[in-house]
Amino acid sequence: MAQPAPSGLIIIDKPQGVTSFDAVAAVRGALHIKKVGHAGTLDPMATGALVIAFGHATRLLNAIVEHDKTYEATIRLGLGTTTDDAEGELDVTSGEGARTVTGVTQDEIRAAIADHFTGDIEQVPNTFSAIKINGKRAYDLAREGKDVELKARPVHISEFAVLAVRQGYVAGERAGELLREAVDWHATADSSGPTTSAVPIAVAASSAPPIPVLDVDVRVSCSSGTYIRALARDLGAELGVGGHLIRLHRTRVGRFALPDDTSGLIGDEAMAATRDHTVTAHSESKTFTNRDGETVTRNKCVLDTPAELSGEERREWLLGRALTMEQAARGAMPALDITPDEAAELRFGRRIERVIGEPTVAIVPQTHDVVAILERANVHQAKPATVFPAE
């Protein structure tokens, strides 16, 4: 009899330059499993924690998507872009307000964050986002040159910490330029500005004067659906100087984190385990001829597995790094330990005498059997909403 396909989660440290779907494709190819998905898209520009589920664990993704998240990012104040990140075109006029970025202090940045971007806030998503408007993605409408108006939506920001600030200059030729002649401003509670002043320098191959900017390193813990790009845009607008995102690294999705997470929201034991369950990856360019005969080059995601492994050995190595179905389920939602008899009832679609207040996963702890996702039936009973087959 054929062995059942394995189920579980792998935490991929996604590299820059590839899509989340590219990472899913890499896992699917390595595990030889069709049923693979991820819990929350990271843009190609972004790096970090991408929770990828395979087998029956894909049924847990809807719950994991709703978990809060932690990001480390760099916001560039002084310039905006059409997409609010380094992928768009520079909007030089966004920094041409009544004040210049050189007059912005760390105290002002912190005060603006505390007053306007912490706790429960209303946020207007980015025009270039995956939100659907009448069945079409907002970014598709924006690329077609159509006006896109998105309504503000509630999000929760539990932490928005300034880690460091650097002052410098850019030529203003493209988004994501390296900072020139930066003055390090390591964030301290009582610091209000740089200890030395920066002098504008001539920027090579540019006749235009250099543009002063501030690069602000931040850590943000927030609810699902929060756009860090929008925080960068809105912080720049609040300060009157413009702003956009130039770096984004996700370190945590709910209880699933990378070893470099510094949110403090993951317990010591769980943090130690992250090293065993994280798989790094890198991007490689691939050139091919498409159906129209055109030569196309694009990046693909390559998992960092031991070089000497291939085929079944590589697959087994990846499965050894994965979280089991039970570990995945307990991390995805509240768990309820049940008896084998209750498991049998649930698999027949029957209710059990248990009190729950929210979707809960039912597990037989002695056998590590993940039985079902339960919903509240009434005040004293729970019913199965999703049933997993016995393995």
Side-chain angles (χ1 to χ4, degrees):
M1 192 170 84
Q3 290 290 321
S7 299
L9 290 181
I10 294 179
I11 315 301
I12 300 296
D13 190 350
K14 189 189 87 67
Q16 192 173 42
V18 299
T19 66
S20 298
F21 179 78
D22 291 332
V24 167
V27 172
R28 181 183 291 117
L31 295 182
H32 309 297
I33 296 174
K34 292 183 178 180
K35 203 171 183 181
V36 183
H38 68 78
T41 300
L42 280 174
D43 291 335
M45 184 191 101
T47 63
L50 186 66
V51 178
I52 294 184
F54 54 91
H56 300 310
T58 55
R59 304 295 293 272
L60 303 171
L61 289 175
N62 286 341
I64 300 172
V65 164
E66 298 302 318
H67 288 187
D68 63 328
K69 300 168 178 69
T70 297
Y71 299 88
E72 292 195 2
T74 300
I75 296 170
R76 176 160 288 175
L77 296 176
L79 287 170
T81 71
T82 54
T83 59
D84 303 326
D85 64 14
E87 298 291 301
E89 298 295 323
L90 280 176
D91 178 11
V92 179
T93 61
S94 62
E96 294 181 349
R99 65 181 311 195
T100 64
V101 75
T102 53
V104 176
T105 67
Q106 284 193 48
D107 284 345
E108 285 182 276
I109 295 171
R110 285 197 178 88
I113 289 171
D115 293 343
H116 302 284
F117 305 108
T118 303
D120 295 321
I121 66 171
E122 293 283 325
Q123 183 185 72
V124 177
N126 309 81
T127 301
F128 284 83
S129 67
I131 293 171
K132 286 188 176 181
I133 302 174
N134 297 325
K136 293 198 70 174
R137 300 287 186 186
Y139 54 67
D140 288 330
L141 295 172
R143 287 167 185 155
E144 292 170 5
K146 297 180 180 178
D147 291 333
V148 178
E149 291 188 14
L150 298 173
K151 295 180 180 180
R153 53 180 60 190
V155 297
H156 181 79
I157 313 296
S158 56
E159 183 192 35
F160 193 162
V162 176
L163 305 178
V165 184
R166 294 174 298 281
Q167 183 186 41
Y169 296 85
V170 294
E173 297 173 339
R174 57 181 175 80
E177 290 178 69
L178 292 177
L179 198 67
R180 313 229 183 168
E181 195 173 282
V183 176
D184 279 339
W185 259 357
H186 290 292
T188 57
D190 58 356
S191 175
S192 61
T195 55
T196 60
S197 61
V199 179
I201 59 173
V203 179
S206 176
S207 59
I211 300 170
V213 294
L214 292 178
D215 282 0
V216 185
D217 294 337
V218 300
R219 181 177 60 241
V220 179
S221 293
C222 54
S223 62
S224 176
T226 302
Y227 284 85
I228 309 301
R229 285 182 290 160
L231 289 179
R233 174 200 67 201
D234 295 343
L235 177 60
E238 181 62 32
L239 294 168
V241 296
H244 68 282
L245 193 70
I246 63 170
R247 179 181 69 92
L248 184 64
H249 179 66
R250 186 160 69 192
T251 64
R252 184 185 64 87
V253 179
R255 300 180 188 177
F256 308 106
L258 295 182
D260 62 358
D261 178 65
T262 60
S263 67
L265 299 173
I266 304 292
D268 293 340
E269 185 177 341
M271 276 304 299
T274 61
R275 291 174 176 80
D276 298 327
H277 301 295
T278 298
V279 176
T280 60
H282 65 278
S283 65
E284 289 183 1
S285 60
K286 178 183 179 182
T287 301
F288 59 95
T289 302
N290 65 16
R291 293 178 179 177
D292 298 325
E294 301 169 326
T295 299
V296 178
T297 300
R298 68 183 301 272
N299 290 336
K300 68 174 182 177
C301 182
V302 180
L303 304 178
D304 294 332
T305 57
E308 69 275 12
L309 300 182
S310 62
E312 188 62 24
E313 288 183 332
R314 184 169 183 257
R315 178 177 183 269
E316 290 302 317
W317 184 89
L318 280 172
L319 289 174
R321 306 285 290 185
L323 292 158
T324 65
M325 183 65 182
E326 181 186 11
Q327 290 171 321
R330 290 187 184 276
M333 64 181 68
L336 175 68
D337 289 346
I338 62 171
T339 67
D341 287 342
E342 287 174 316
E345 291 294 291
L346 290 171
R347 286 199 166 109
F348 276 115
R350 298 169 183 154
R351 300 177 180 186
I352 59 173
E353 295 291 329
R354 295 291 189 125
V355 178
I356 61 171
E358 59 186 319
T360 300
V361 64
I363 300 172
V364 181
Q366 297 89 340
T367 57
H368 311 290
D369 182 13
V370 180
V371 178
I373 296 174
L374 306 180
E375 291 180 348
R376 182 178 183 271
N378 52 49
V379 293
H380 59 87
Q381 289 182 318
K383 62 182 181 180
T386 299
V387 176
F388 300 104
E391 295 184 356

